[in-house]
Amino acid sequence: MHDGAGAAMTGATEAGQGADTRCLTLRGLRFEIGGITLIDGIDLALGPAGVTMIMGPNGAGKSMFLRLVHGLMAPSAGQAAWGGQPVSEATRARQSMVFQSPVLLRRQVAANVDFVLASRGRSDPARRDALLDLVGLADKARQPARLLSGGEQQRLALARALATEPEVLFLDEPTASLDPASVLRIEEIVAQAAEAGTRVFFVTHDMAQARRLGGEVLFLARGRVVERAPAERFFAGPETAVARDYLAGRIVL
């Protein structure tokens, strides 16, 4: 970690984590495959509130980082813990993830949300309708999901994720290749979720987006967190050469 303030922030979060299951602690987190190290011994503590933007060049380990802390993959060494408890089915049940390519059912828009609610033992048309209204799809509730535009499909994926009322929301480049209006609409929804108390981790290459949304930036390079800083300060003057090259466009994405 090259950011002094980031180290101070880490210490503060560690001191105040308690049992809040939105708090993430990493100890020596490492992932290798075929003799290649993709995540290289990350030690980190992150608090229970706000939006953390995860940035870095292609191959830095950003998506792998999300999958490890969400428990979709097991680390080769080390541990990720939420509220002091190791990643498990119980922690995953309190979290949701949205991928770059929407994962939807071949059903009506409303039925996609109904399915998620039913999987949690709830039949709640009012909750479903409120979510569709939140993401601007109330007028398309009876339309097949496959007929939605790319931006609309991603908003439906976000509605499905929020249907579980997650404590933590992971977003892996959810606005890549979307038009500007769709990008801003999704950012508004994410910001509202964060303000309501959902902890958000958002992978992006979009620097303007990171400035708009991010309370802080985690910058990864070669499987390590090389900088952690408030977004405003990170963009004003990153401390590492790799981050400066990235922001200046000297690293191919």
Side-chain angles (χ1 to χ4, degrees):
M1 184 79 64
H2 292 270
D3 180 61
M9 291 163 64
T10 299
T13 17
E14 285 179 324
Q17 279 200 20
D20 192 321
T21 49
R22 296 171 300 163
C23 291
L24 172 64
T25 304
L26 307 179
R27 292 284 180 264
L29 192 72
R30 186 179 183 88
F31 184 79
E32 298 178 356
I33 186 167
I36 299 173
T37 300
L38 300 177
I39 296 293
D40 191 9
I42 296 178
D43 293 289
L44 193 65
L46 293 162
V51 180
T52 296
M53 307 302 289
I54 302 171
M55 305 187 74
N58 281 342
K62 303 181 298 297
S63 295
M64 183 68 67
F65 177 88
L66 288 194
R67 284 162 174 75
L68 288 169
V69 300
H70 187 33
L72 297 181
M73 304 182 72
S76 303
Q79 186 184 70
W82 293 95
Q85 298 300 313
V87 172
S88 64
E89 290 186 11
T91 61
R92 285 195 299 275
R94 296 190 294 265
Q95 303 172 351
S96 290
M97 188 165 181
V98 176
F99 299 90
Q100 181 174 341
S101 298
V103 180
L104 302 175
L105 301 174
R106 295 179 66 83
R107 302 182 184 183
Q108 291 181 339
V109 168
N112 266 267
V113 181
D114 283 334
F115 177 83
V116 175
L117 291 170
S119 73
R120 297 301 177 100
R122 296 176 60 181
S123 177
D124 193 342
R127 170 72 174 154
R128 175 202 66 208
D129 293 345
L131 284 163
L132 292 179
D133 185 58
L134 173 68
V135 301
L137 294 175
D139 61 336
K140 303 195 177 200
R142 302 304 168 191
Q143 181 174 312
R146 61 186 174 81
L147 297 183
L148 297 177
S149 69
E152 290 169 339
Q153 288 188 16
Q154 196 62 289
R155 280 188 272 142
L156 178 54
L158 192 51
R160 282 165 50 95
L162 293 174
T164 67
E165 298 181 341
E167 294 179 351
V168 182
L169 178 63
F170 300 104
L171 301 157
D172 192 0
E173 296 193 65
T175 60
S177 303
L178 298 186
D179 63 272
S182 293
V183 170
L184 291 176
R185 186 62 180 269
I186 287 171
E187 288 177 7
E188 290 172 359
I189 297 164
V190 171
Q192 288 176 34
E195 289 170 6
T198 301
R199 185 64 167 96
V200 177
F201 293 85
F202 196 126
V203 172
T204 187
H205 281 299
D206 187 331
M207 297 177 198
Q209 181 173 74
R211 288 175 185 266
R212 289 190 297 266
L213 277 178
E216 67 175 350
V217 172
L218 290 185
F219 187 83
L220 275 66
R222 297 183 178 179
R224 286 185 167 273
V225 176
V226 297
E227 288 202 42
R228 176 188 179 187
E232 182 177 356
R233 204 179 84 204
F234 175 79
F235 288 107
E239 295 190 358
T240 59
V242 65
R244 290 193 294 271
D245 286 344
Y246 176 88
L247 294 184
R250 292 191 290 268
I251 295 178
V252 177
L253 301 180

